[in-house]
Amino acid sequence: MSAIAKENHSEHQTSIADNVIATQRENLAISTKGRGFGPQSPRDLNSLVGTNPINFSPAPAYTEMNLCNIHFHKNAEHSGGEFTTYAGNGNGQGVTSGYQYSGKLTKAELMTVDHAVCSSEHGALISGDTIEVHYVYSSAQVSPGPTLGACLNEAINNPQLRVETQVFVLVNDAKALDFSTLTALDIKNGLHQALNMLSNSGEAIQYLGSTTGPSYNQVGSLFQVSWSVHPKVAKVNIDTVGNWCEGNVFKEDHAHGVRNLVTNPALLSPMK
């Protein structure tokens, strides 16, 4: 167990200086200025400020679209609700940055499991970690599959995209939510759907933005995305997340890194 714990925590040893993040944000501003990029994501959900002039129609409700992908990021990419504790600058490439659950967990919930969970070159998930799950929906006639590519097809190169977003905290508790249940799929009313997304995690905050991920720390995302981010964090059994990583239709086996929070008003949509 000590070896696993060492592996799990190894990624926490590197954290870049504030000025590196500032430089990345400056490069993002330079690379997008005057080029017509639409509003970007992620953002501080508590701030309504945004001056990006690009407007597009919000995507339909997810119940009127096809689920095309599910993936998650270690730590929340957004800040708001019950996930406002800054994890730190990380390595500058999205690892160990982002935002964490701001509530308290019991010692039992935080007990270390005796096996690696969703391990990658940056370590594995541990009890107490926060993840932001993205249920990605497309207006195109597509089926669930790996990456954003599953949301596009040859018939429509510019489908409307919606991301239903739920933040979870991983706990060592067999009675907590089961991730396999939360990601169960089937066809409903002729559309691919995630059947058991939470409905008790607060009214979703809606805004217009883009795709995310650390590859966009210094360049703009080209995609237009309607976001729905629920403010309350739910507890999920860490072992069920590990089981999902061992095999799913999306070929997801680890947590993705996070994009820097977008703070430049010129790259943010106005929120009501």
Side-chain angles (χ1 to χ4, degrees):
M1 285 180 61
S2 61
I4 292 174
K6 183 176 180 182
E7 175 192 356
N8 290 351
H9 287 284
S10 63
E11 62 185 79
H12 295 278
Q13 297 176 359
T14 301
S15 186
I16 60 173
D18 290 346
N19 67 328
V20 177
I21 299 294
T23 298
Q24 290 181 343
R25 288 195 169 116
E26 182 180 357
N27 289 341
L28 176 62
I30 293 171
S31 67
T32 56
K33 186 176 181 180
R35 297 184 58 196
F37 277 90
Q40 301 289 297
S41 300
R43 68 181 295 162
D44 180 354
L45 300 172
N46 292 317
S47 174
L48 304 180
V49 176
T51 61
N52 188 276
I54 304 299
N55 191 24
F56 56 93
S57 298
Y62 73 87
T63 53
E64 301 174 19
M65 307 174 74
N66 280 304
L67 178 82
C68 51
N69 184 259
I70 298 176
H71 64 274
F72 63 82
H73 301 258
K74 180 174 178 180
N75 297 326
E77 292 197 287
H78 292 84
S79 172
E82 296 179 340
F83 39 97
T84 57
T85 301
Y86 186 48
N89 293 337
N91 69 349
Q93 298 175 4
V95 177
T96 66
S97 189
Y99 293 83
Q100 300 172 330
Y101 175 49
S102 51
K104 301 292 185 181
L105 299 174
T106 67
K107 289 183 179 179
E109 289 173 329
L110 289 168
M111 285 185 62
T112 303
V113 295
D114 60 358
H115 49 274
V117 174
C118 303
S119 60
S120 72
E121 61 182 311
H122 301 295
L125 297 175
I126 61 173
S127 301
D129 277 344
T130 299
I131 61 172
E132 180 174 304
V133 179
H134 293 166
Y135 298 83
V136 188
Y137 285 81
S138 171
S139 62
Q141 187 174 320
V142 293
S143 302
T147 76
L148 184 61
C151 305
L152 314 173
N153 68 7
E154 295 179 354
I156 303 176
N157 280 329
N158 61 338
Q160 289 180 287
L161 300 173
R162 175 172 290 282
V163 178
E164 293 290 321
T165 306
Q166 177 66 56
V167 177
F168 295 97
V169 61
L170 310 185
V171 294
N172 188 348
D173 182 0
K175 296 180 180 179
L177 295 170
D178 186 320
F179 197 67
S180 294
T181 300
L182 293 166
T183 56
L185 313 176
D186 205 344
I187 294 178
K188 185 175 182 180
N189 298 323
L191 297 168
H192 293 280
Q193 295 285 297
L195 300 179
N196 302 312
M197 292 192 299
L198 295 184
S199 59
N200 61 349
S201 51
E203 183 178 355
I205 299 166
Q206 310 269 349
Y207 79 94
L208 301 180
S210 70
T211 52
T212 63
S215 61
Y216 296 115
N217 277 345
Q218 301 185 79
V219 296
S221 166
L222 305 176
F223 292 92
Q224 297 178 337
V225 178
S226 297
W227 284 86
S228 300
V229 186
H230 293 270
K232 293 185 178 180
V233 174
K235 296 177 181 178
V236 65
N237 180 353
I238 185 172
D239 278 334
T240 65
V241 177
N243 291 338
W244 187 80
C245 281
E246 291 177 4
N248 55 78
V249 69
F250 309 106
K251 298 184 179 179
E252 294 287 333
D253 59 9
H254 67 280
H256 295 261
V258 301
R259 185 186 189 183
N260 294 338
L261 202 70
V262 179
T263 58
N264 180 358
L267 291 175
L268 296 171
S269 61
M271 286 175 55
K272 298 180 180 179

